Amino acid sequence: MNHLLGAAVALAGSAVASAGTFTDDFSQGVRSRYWKVTQTTPGQYVWSDAGGIVHFARPAPNNPGGLQNIALELMLDSISGSVAGDFSCQVDISNTNILFPGLNQVELHTIFRSGSVFYQVYDNNGGRNYHVWDGAVRNRTYTPLTSGKLRIQRIGTTLSASFNDVQIYAVNSFSPLTRIRFVLQNHFGSNGLISADYDNFSFTFARNCRADMTLDGVVDDADFLAFVRGYDLVECADPAMGPGCAGDLNADDVVDDLDFQVFVSAYDVLLCP
């Protein structure tokens, strides 16, 4: 089931009004076409993807200060582009080892073109709890659980987060989604040797603008230059193609004339929905 960009992502007609689902059980590991690992400070954390589980851990108490984290970010330019409409993303967390001094967190992040953020947070502040952070803590709820499902979704203009399918908090949201990532984090001053496992990621989207490879809300000359680079290389497997193979707009592992037809349709429209 590793990833499904199938019938729902019918991109042959237009890149600006499609729907689809991407799932990843990580049975093929963390694939660089779809994911990238980042750390606030290189070497603070270790990670592995053995056995179909993404494992993040911090092995040594040498926090250089400030907010430190490791994240696995989904490269939206390889799947959907920015998402102006409905979406849902979720990930299972387990074996959460966060009960150390200081504030330690396991999180699912969504970030929007407006600069706004909406995070589903599981942390140790006063005991294990889950809540939303959007610039402030929202509806902290304590739990004995060490595992669960983090989910963020937007239906219409209602953006909400849930833990194990129980809604935590909701707000109105209008800005296109531009980033998704899941995170293990030591908050300011925490030296905890924290760890967590992540699995069964899923992302569904009602609209996409996949030809917007620069994620700026329009399909223009900057996107054309990005597309041409991929078109010249053709094969997504080419090491020079770079992560995401963004020019492969119909998800067939090559950047060719079929992708160009999709790109032209979006370029003529200009604005993403």
Side-chain angles (χ1 to χ4, degrees):
M1 188 177 67
N2 210 274
H3 66 94
L4 300 174
L5 287 170
V9 191
L11 289 172
S14 171
V16 296
S18 304
T21 298
F22 172 89
T23 67
D24 204 336
D25 61 8
F26 302 106
S27 59
Q28 295 182 33
V30 172
R31 292 167 296 157
S32 60
R33 177 174 177 181
Y34 301 110
W35 299 98
K36 64 179 178 182
V37 179
T38 61
Q39 296 194 44
T40 309
T41 302
Q44 276 289 302
Y45 299 86
V46 296
W47 69 278
S48 67
D49 55 9
I53 299 290
V54 176
H55 176 74
F56 288 161
R58 187 167 178 271
N62 59 342
N63 192 329
L67 193 70
Q68 298 291 326
N69 64 43
I70 182 172
L72 188 63
E73 181 160 349
L74 183 66
M75 292 186 289
L76 286 184
D77 58 355
S78 69
I79 296 170
S80 65
S82 57
V83 179
D86 294 359
F87 72 87
S88 176
C89 58
Q90 64 184 51
V91 67
D92 292 342
I93 60 170
S94 60
N95 299 316
T96 55
N97 185 25
I98 60 172
L99 295 183
F100 293 90
L103 182 55
N104 307 304
Q105 300 171 312
V106 177
E107 302 182 340
L108 175 63
H109 290 183
T110 52
I111 301 170
F112 300 86
R113 185 176 298 138
S114 63
S116 60
V117 300
F118 195 79
Y119 298 167
Q120 219 282 53
V121 181
Y122 172 93
D123 72 22
N124 67 330
N125 190 350
R128 295 180 184 272
N129 72 91
Y130 52 85
H131 60 272
V132 165
W133 192 85
D134 62 355
V137 173
R138 309 290 187 182
N139 293 353
R140 189 188 305 276
T141 304
Y142 289 94
T143 178
L145 298 177
T146 61
S147 62
K149 178 171 65 179
L150 310 182
R151 183 174 67 200
I152 297 173
Q153 65 179 4
R154 178 166 60 195
I155 300 175
T157 61
T158 301
L159 179 66
S160 65
S162 64
F163 183 79
N164 287 342
D165 299 320
V166 176
Q167 182 171 300
I168 305 167
Y169 181 70
V171 294
N172 285 329
S173 170
F174 304 94
S175 183
L177 173 72
T178 56
R179 298 176 70 185
I180 300 171
R181 63 191 180 198
F182 52 83
V183 174
L184 180 69
Q185 181 163 277
N186 292 79
H187 219 271
F188 296 93
S190 168
N191 265 317
L193 305 184
I194 62 177
S195 61
D197 293 339
Y198 306 78
D199 196 11
N200 299 319
F201 177 84
S202 177
F203 171 48
T204 63
F205 48 94
R207 299 184 183 89
N208 71 63
C209 192
R210 194 163 178 207
D212 176 22
M213 287 173 274
T214 58
L215 300 181
D216 62 357
V218 295
V219 180
D220 57 11
D221 291 345
D223 301 294
F224 178 72
L225 292 174
F227 178 82
V228 167
R229 286 193 292 271
Y231 186 86
D232 287 342
L233 294 168
V234 182
E235 296 286 341
C236 287
D238 190 321
M241 184 67 80
C245 198
D248 178 20
L249 302 182
N250 63 353
D252 64 355
D253 294 321
V254 293
V255 181
D256 57 13
D257 290 345
L258 294 177
D259 300 297
F260 183 68
Q261 292 173 22
V262 176
F263 182 86
V264 167
S265 296
Y267 187 87
D268 287 344
V269 175
L270 182 64
L271 294 177
C272 291

